[in-house]
Amino acid sequence: MGAIKKTNAAKYVPARVRVRLTVGQQVRNVRELQEMTQAELADSSGVPQPTISSIEADRVAIGVERAEKLARALRVHPAVLLWPNGWDANLETKRAG
């Protein structure tokens, strides 16, 4: 087995964001990819169907607790729902500084 080659992080550029999604759009996308209805998601997550509808329409904030319940039922990490456009570590560094 060969030696692990070090990479030069300076020559990599983050991918450009092509589409920005809201939390509600992301919840709907993941639910539809799992081929679930809102009623099925409500049954498996314990979150009422009208609340899921409101989250998907961006009328209600998802919150961490609901995100955890929905993520468990959708078999994804809660971060997938909470940060649909990814996490920008550079932005956090700028805020801290």
PDB file of all heavy atoms in Angstrom, residues 42-70:
ATOM      1  N   ALA A  42     -46.317  12.053   9.550  1.00  0.00           N
ATOM      2  CA  ALA A  42     -46.914  12.392  10.845  1.00  0.00           C
ATOM      3  C   ALA A  42     -47.013  11.153  11.734  1.00  0.00           C
ATOM      4  O   ALA A  42     -46.661  11.199  12.915  1.00  0.00           O
ATOM      5  CB  ALA A  42     -48.295  13.012  10.646  1.00  0.00           C
ATOM      6  N   ASP A  43     -47.459  10.041  11.162  1.00  0.00           N
ATOM      7  CA  ASP A  43     -47.583   8.795  11.931  1.00  0.00           C
ATOM      8  C   ASP A  43     -46.230   8.306  12.441  1.00  0.00           C
ATOM      9  O   ASP A  43     -46.116   7.877  13.592  1.00  0.00           O
ATOM     10  CB  ASP A  43     -48.229   7.694  11.085  1.00  0.00           C
ATOM     11  CG  ASP A  43     -49.715   7.928  10.855  1.00  0.00           C
ATOM     12  OD1 ASP A  43     -50.333   8.711  11.610  1.00  0.00           O
ATOM     13  OD2 ASP A  43     -50.257   7.328   9.905  1.00  0.00           O
ATOM     14  N   SER A  44     -45.214   8.371  11.596  1.00  0.00           N
ATOM     15  CA  SER A  44     -43.916   7.830  11.989  1.00  0.00           C
ATOM     16  C   SER A  44     -43.095   8.785  12.856  1.00  0.00           C
ATOM     17  O   SER A  44     -42.206   8.345  13.571  1.00  0.00           O
ATOM     18  CB  SER A  44     -43.115   7.407  10.761  1.00  0.00           C
ATOM     19  OG  SER A  44     -42.858   8.498   9.935  1.00  0.00           O
ATOM     20  N   SER A  45     -43.400  10.082  12.806  1.00  0.00           N
ATOM     21  CA  SER A  45     -42.606  11.051  13.572  1.00  0.00           C
ATOM     22  C   SER A  45     -43.283  11.528  14.848  1.00  0.00           C
ATOM     23  O   SER A  45     -42.617  11.998  15.760  1.00  0.00           O
ATOM     24  CB  SER A  45     -42.282  12.274  12.708  1.00  0.00           C
ATOM     25  OG  SER A  45     -43.458  13.017  12.445  1.00  0.00           O
ATOM     26  N   GLY A  46     -44.604  11.459  14.885  1.00  0.00           N
ATOM     27  CA  GLY A  46     -45.325  12.002  16.032  1.00  0.00           C
ATOM     28  C   GLY A  46     -45.606  13.489  15.909  1.00  0.00           C
ATOM     29  O   GLY A  46     -46.183  14.101  16.803  1.00  0.00           O
ATOM     30  N   VAL A  47     -45.219  14.094  14.799  1.00  0.00           N
ATOM     31  CA  VAL A  47     -45.494  15.512  14.538  1.00  0.00           C
ATOM     32  C   VAL A  47     -46.819  15.561  13.780  1.00  0.00           C
ATOM     33  O   VAL A  47     -46.975  14.880  12.766  1.00  0.00           O
ATOM     34  CB  VAL A  47     -44.366  16.170  13.705  1.00  0.00           C
ATOM     35  CG1 VAL A  47     -44.708  17.601  13.357  1.00  0.00           C
ATOM     36  CG2 VAL A  47     -43.044  16.097  14.449  1.00  0.00           C
ATOM     37  N   PRO A  48     -47.801  16.336  14.248  1.00  0.00           N
ATOM     38  CA  PRO A  48     -49.109  16.372  13.579  1.00  0.00           C
ATOM     39  C   PRO A  48     -49.008  16.791  12.106  1.00  0.00           C
ATOM     40  O   PRO A  48     -48.177  17.635  11.740  1.00  0.00           O
ATOM     41  CB  PRO A  48     -49.895  17.406  14.379  1.00  0.00           C
ATOM     42  CG  PRO A  48     -49.195  17.494  15.698  1.00  0.00           C
ATOM     43  CD  PRO A  48     -47.755  17.207  15.424  1.00  0.00           C
ATOM     44  N   GLN A  49     -49.848  16.199  11.275  1.00  0.00           N
ATOM     45  CA  GLN A  49     -49.835  16.485   9.841  1.00  0.00           C
ATOM     46  C   GLN A  49     -50.028  17.967   9.536  1.00  0.00           C
ATOM     47  O   GLN A  49     -49.323  18.512   8.684  1.00  0.00           O
ATOM     48  CB  GLN A  49     -50.878  15.619   9.120  1.00  0.00           C
ATOM     49  CG  GLN A  49     -50.882  15.784   7.609  1.00  0.00           C
ATOM     50  CD  GLN A  49     -51.706  16.976   7.147  1.00  0.00           C
ATOM     51  OE1 GLN A  49     -52.729  17.298   7.744  1.00  0.00           O
ATOM     52  NE2 GLN A  49     -51.256  17.635   6.089  1.00  0.00           N
ATOM     53  N   PRO A  50     -50.966  18.682  10.215  1.00  0.00           N
ATOM     54  CA  PRO A  50     -51.087  20.123   9.928  1.00  0.00           C
ATOM     55  C   PRO A  50     -49.793  20.904  10.223  1.00  0.00           C
ATOM     56  O   PRO A  50     -49.471  21.859   9.520  1.00  0.00           O
ATOM     57  CB  PRO A  50     -52.225  20.585  10.840  1.00  0.00           C
ATOM     58  CG  PRO A  50     -53.030  19.346  11.082  1.00  0.00           C
ATOM     59  CD  PRO A  50     -52.016  18.230  11.128  1.00  0.00           C
ATOM     60  N   THR A  51     -49.046  20.468  11.227  1.00  0.00           N
ATOM     61  CA  THR A  51     -47.766  21.119  11.543  1.00  0.00           C
ATOM     62  C   THR A  51     -46.754  20.855  10.439  1.00  0.00           C
ATOM     63  O   THR A  51     -46.016  21.762  10.028  1.00  0.00           O
ATOM     64  CB  THR A  51     -47.224  20.628  12.898  1.00  0.00           C
ATOM     65  OG1 THR A  51     -48.202  20.876  13.910  1.00  0.00           O
ATOM     66  CG2 THR A  51     -45.920  21.318  13.270  1.00  0.00           C
ATOM     67  N   ILE A  52     -46.725  19.624   9.925  1.00  0.00           N
ATOM     68  CA  ILE A  52     -45.822  19.298   8.818  1.00  0.00           C
ATOM     69  C   ILE A  52     -46.165  20.151   7.601  1.00  0.00           C
ATOM     70  O   ILE A  52     -45.282  20.698   6.938  1.00  0.00           O
ATOM     71  CB  ILE A  52     -45.880  17.793   8.481  1.00  0.00           C
ATOM     72  CG1 ILE A  52     -45.304  16.984   9.646  1.00  0.00           C
ATOM     73  CG2 ILE A  52     -45.132  17.486   7.177  1.00  0.00           C
ATOM     74  CD1 ILE A  52     -45.504  15.494   9.540  1.00  0.00           C
ATOM     75  N   SER A  53     -47.450  20.295   7.327  1.00  0.00           N
ATOM     76  CA  SER A  53     -47.896  21.132   6.214  1.00  0.00           C
ATOM     77  C   SER A  53     -47.416  22.571   6.404  1.00  0.00           C
ATOM     78  O   SER A  53     -46.923  23.206   5.464  1.00  0.00           O
ATOM     79  CB  SER A  53     -49.419  21.094   6.094  1.00  0.00           C
ATOM     80  OG  SER A  53     -49.862  21.951   5.079  1.00  0.00           O
ATOM     81  N   SER A  54     -47.543  23.081   7.617  1.00  0.00           N
ATOM     82  CA  SER A  54     -47.110  24.460   7.916  1.00  0.00           C
ATOM     83  C   SER A  54     -45.598  24.614   7.809  1.00  0.00           C
ATOM     84  O   SER A  54     -45.103  25.643   7.348  1.00  0.00           O
ATOM     85  CB  SER A  54     -47.584  24.870   9.308  1.00  0.00           C
ATOM     86  OG  SER A  54     -48.988  24.940   9.341  1.00  0.00           O
ATOM     87  N   ILE A  55     -44.851  23.597   8.225  1.00  0.00           N
ATOM     88  CA  ILE A  55     -43.387  23.638   8.104  1.00  0.00           C
ATOM     89  C   ILE A  55     -42.999  23.681   6.635  1.00  0.00           C
ATOM     90  O   ILE A  55     -42.170  24.490   6.216  1.00  0.00           O
ATOM     91  CB  ILE A  55     -42.739  22.429   8.813  1.00  0.00           C
ATOM     92  CG1 ILE A  55     -42.886  22.563  10.329  1.00  0.00           C
ATOM     93  CG2 ILE A  55     -41.265  22.287   8.420  1.00  0.00           C
ATOM     94  CD1 ILE A  55     -42.536  21.308  11.108  1.00  0.00           C
ATOM     95  N   GLU A  56     -43.621  22.807   5.828  1.00  0.00           N
ATOM     96  CA  GLU A  56     -43.296  22.752   4.406  1.00  0.00           C
ATOM     97  C   GLU A  56     -43.668  24.036   3.678  1.00  0.00           C
ATOM     98  O   GLU A  56     -43.038  24.391   2.684  1.00  0.00           O
ATOM     99  CB  GLU A  56     -43.986  21.548   3.753  1.00  0.00           C
ATOM    100  CG  GLU A  56     -43.384  20.221   4.181  1.00  0.00           C
ATOM    101  CD  GLU A  56     -43.991  19.030   3.467  1.00  0.00           C
ATOM    102  OE1 GLU A  56     -44.919  19.208   2.649  1.00  0.00           O
ATOM    103  OE2 GLU A  56     -43.526  17.906   3.723  1.00  0.00           O
ATOM    104  N   ALA A  57     -44.660  24.736   4.179  1.00  0.00           N
ATOM    105  CA  ALA A  57     -45.066  26.011   3.574  1.00  0.00           C
ATOM    106  C   ALA A  57     -44.304  27.186   4.181  1.00  0.00           C
ATOM    107  O   ALA A  57     -44.587  28.344   3.859  1.00  0.00           O
ATOM    108  CB  ALA A  57     -46.570  26.207   3.759  1.00  0.00           C
ATOM    109  N   ASP A  58     -43.363  26.898   5.071  1.00  0.00           N
ATOM    110  CA  ASP A  58     -42.555  27.917   5.756  1.00  0.00           C
ATOM    111  C   ASP A  58     -43.395  28.898   6.569  1.00  0.00           C
ATOM    112  O   ASP A  58     -43.024  30.056   6.728  1.00  0.00           O
ATOM    113  CB  ASP A  58     -41.657  28.660   4.756  1.00  0.00           C
ATOM    114  CG  ASP A  58     -40.573  27.761   4.194  1.00  0.00           C
ATOM    115  OD1 ASP A  58     -39.876  27.109   5.003  1.00  0.00           O
ATOM    116  OD2 ASP A  58     -40.419  27.708   2.963  1.00  0.00           O
ATOM    117  N   ARG A  59     -44.511  28.416   7.093  1.00  0.00           N
ATOM    118  CA  ARG A  59     -45.345  29.249   7.975  1.00  0.00           C
ATOM    119  C   ARG A  59     -44.981  29.045   9.438  1.00  0.00           C
ATOM    120  O   ARG A  59     -45.295  29.881  10.277  1.00  0.00           O
ATOM    121  CB  ARG A  59     -46.825  28.923   7.765  1.00  0.00           C
ATOM    122  CG  ARG A  59     -47.385  29.386   6.438  1.00  0.00           C
ATOM    123  CD  ARG A  59     -48.903  29.248   6.383  1.00  0.00           C
ATOM    124  NE  ARG A  59     -49.352  27.906   6.643  1.00  0.00           N
ATOM    125  CZ  ARG A  59     -49.675  27.002   5.710  1.00  0.00           C
ATOM    126  NH1 ARG A  59     -49.580  27.319   4.431  1.00  0.00           N
ATOM    127  NH2 ARG A  59     -50.073  25.804   6.044  1.00  0.00           N
ATOM    128  N   VAL A  60     -44.319  27.919   9.733  1.00  0.00           N
ATOM    129  CA  VAL A  60     -43.934  27.576  11.101  1.00  0.00           C
ATOM    130  C   VAL A  60     -42.456  27.191  11.089  1.00  0.00           C
ATOM    131  O   VAL A  60     -42.021  26.458  10.197  1.00  0.00           O
ATOM    132  CB  VAL A  60     -44.789  26.383  11.616  1.00  0.00           C
ATOM    133  CG1 VAL A  60     -44.259  25.850  12.936  1.00  0.00           C
ATOM    134  CG2 VAL A  60     -46.243  26.776  11.754  1.00  0.00           C
ATOM    135  N   ALA A  61     -41.714  27.677  12.074  1.00  0.00           N
ATOM    136  CA  ALA A  61     -40.303  27.299  12.194  1.00  0.00           C
ATOM    137  C   ALA A  61     -40.215  25.845  12.642  1.00  0.00           C
ATOM    138  O   ALA A  61     -41.008  25.383  13.460  1.00  0.00           O
ATOM    139  CB  ALA A  61     -39.602  28.204  13.194  1.00  0.00           C
ATOM    140  N   ILE A  62     -39.235  25.133  12.116  1.00  0.00           N
ATOM    141  CA  ILE A  62     -39.127  23.700  12.408  1.00  0.00           C
ATOM    142  C   ILE A  62     -38.661  23.448  13.843  1.00  0.00           C
ATOM    143  O   ILE A  62     -39.197  22.576  14.513  1.00  0.00           O
ATOM    144  CB  ILE A  62     -38.218  22.987  11.381  1.00  0.00           C
ATOM    145  CG1 ILE A  62     -38.323  21.481  11.541  1.00  0.00           C
ATOM    146  CG2 ILE A  62     -36.795  23.466  11.486  1.00  0.00           C
ATOM    147  CD1 ILE A  62     -37.678  20.704  10.430  1.00  0.00           C
ATOM    148  N   GLY A  63     -37.695  24.178  14.334  1.00  0.00           N
ATOM    149  CA  GLY A  63     -37.170  23.965  15.680  1.00  0.00           C
ATOM    150  C   GLY A  63     -36.352  22.688  15.762  1.00  0.00           C
ATOM    151  O   GLY A  63     -36.554  21.759  14.987  1.00  0.00           O
ATOM    152  N   VAL A  64     -35.445  22.634  16.711  1.00  0.00           N
ATOM    153  CA  VAL A  64     -34.531  21.505  16.839  1.00  0.00           C
ATOM    154  C   VAL A  64     -35.273  20.225  17.215  1.00  0.00           C
ATOM    155  O   VAL A  64     -35.018  19.163  16.642  1.00  0.00           O
ATOM    156  CB  VAL A  64     -33.417  21.817  17.866  1.00  0.00           C
ATOM    157  CG1 VAL A  64     -32.548  20.606  18.124  1.00  0.00           C
ATOM    158  CG2 VAL A  64     -32.569  22.980  17.379  1.00  0.00           C
ATOM    159  N   GLU A  65     -36.183  20.302  18.155  1.00  0.00           N
ATOM    160  CA  GLU A  65     -36.903  19.098  18.603  1.00  0.00           C
ATOM    161  C   GLU A  65     -37.707  18.475  17.463  1.00  0.00           C
ATOM    162  O   GLU A  65     -37.643  17.264  17.235  1.00  0.00           O
ATOM    163  CB  GLU A  65     -37.823  19.445  19.776  1.00  0.00           C
ATOM    164  CG  GLU A  65     -38.464  18.223  20.403  1.00  0.00           C
ATOM    165  CD  GLU A  65     -39.287  18.573  21.636  1.00  0.00           C
ATOM    166  OE1 GLU A  65     -38.847  19.418  22.420  1.00  0.00           O
ATOM    167  OE2 GLU A  65     -40.366  17.989  21.780  1.00  0.00           O
ATOM    168  N   ARG A  66     -38.448  19.297  16.732  1.00  0.00           N
ATOM    169  CA  ARG A  66     -39.212  18.774  15.587  1.00  0.00           C
ATOM    170  C   ARG A  66     -38.281  18.249  14.502  1.00  0.00           C
ATOM    171  O   ARG A  66     -38.560  17.235  13.869  1.00  0.00           O
ATOM    172  CB  ARG A  66     -40.121  19.849  14.997  1.00  0.00           C
ATOM    173  CG  ARG A  66     -41.387  20.047  15.766  1.00  0.00           C
ATOM    174  CD  ARG A  66     -42.342  20.895  14.939  1.00  0.00           C
ATOM    175  NE  ARG A  66     -43.148  21.691  15.823  1.00  0.00           N
ATOM    176  CZ  ARG A  66     -43.303  22.997  15.759  1.00  0.00           C
ATOM    177  NH1 ARG A  66     -42.734  23.697  14.813  1.00  0.00           N
ATOM    178  NH2 ARG A  66     -44.048  23.626  16.614  1.00  0.00           N
ATOM    179  N   ALA A  67     -37.176  18.953  14.276  1.00  0.00           N
ATOM    180  CA  ALA A  67     -36.209  18.515  13.261  1.00  0.00           C
ATOM    181  C   ALA A  67     -35.678  17.125  13.612  1.00  0.00           C
ATOM    182  O   ALA A  67     -35.533  16.270  12.731  1.00  0.00           O
ATOM    183  CB  ALA A  67     -35.064  19.510  13.140  1.00  0.00           C
ATOM    184  N   GLU A  68     -35.403  16.892  14.887  1.00  0.00           N
ATOM    185  CA  GLU A  68     -34.909  15.577  15.310  1.00  0.00           C
ATOM    186  C   GLU A  68     -35.953  14.491  15.071  1.00  0.00           C
ATOM    187  O   GLU A  68     -35.637  13.410  14.569  1.00  0.00           O
ATOM    188  CB  GLU A  68     -34.492  15.604  16.778  1.00  0.00           C
ATOM    189  CG  GLU A  68     -33.224  16.400  17.017  1.00  0.00           C
ATOM    190  CD  GLU A  68     -32.886  16.580  18.480  1.00  0.00           C
ATOM    191  OE1 GLU A  68     -33.763  16.335  19.347  1.00  0.00           O
ATOM    192  OE2 GLU A  68     -31.740  16.968  18.766  1.00  0.00           O
ATOM    193  N   LYS A  69     -37.204  14.771  15.401  1.00  0.00           N
ATOM    194  CA  LYS A  69     -38.287  13.789  15.196  1.00  0.00           C
ATOM    195  C   LYS A  69     -38.481  13.499  13.702  1.00  0.00           C
ATOM    196  O   LYS A  69     -38.599  12.336  13.299  1.00  0.00           O
ATOM    197  CB  LYS A  69     -39.604  14.302  15.791  1.00  0.00           C
ATOM    198  CG  LYS A  69     -39.635  14.323  17.296  1.00  0.00           C
ATOM    199  CD  LYS A  69     -40.968  14.878  17.778  1.00  0.00           C
ATOM    200  CE  LYS A  69     -41.040  14.945  19.281  1.00  0.00           C
ATOM    201  NZ  LYS A  69     -42.339  15.503  19.728  1.00  0.00           N
ATOM    202  N   LEU A  70     -38.538  14.564  12.908  1.00  0.00           N
ATOM    203  CA  LEU A  70     -38.746  14.381  11.469  1.00  0.00           C
ATOM    204  C   LEU A  70     -37.548  13.681  10.829  1.00  0.00           C
ATOM    205  O   LEU A  70     -37.717  12.794   9.986  1.00  0.00           O
ATOM    206  CB  LEU A  70     -39.010  15.734  10.796  1.00  0.00           C
ATOM    207  CG  LEU A  70     -40.326  16.415  11.177  1.00  0.00           C
ATOM    208  CD1 LEU A  70     -40.376  17.830  10.608  1.00  0.00           C
ATOM    209  CD2 LEU A  70     -41.523  15.603  10.707  1.00  0.00           C
TER     210      LEU A  70
END
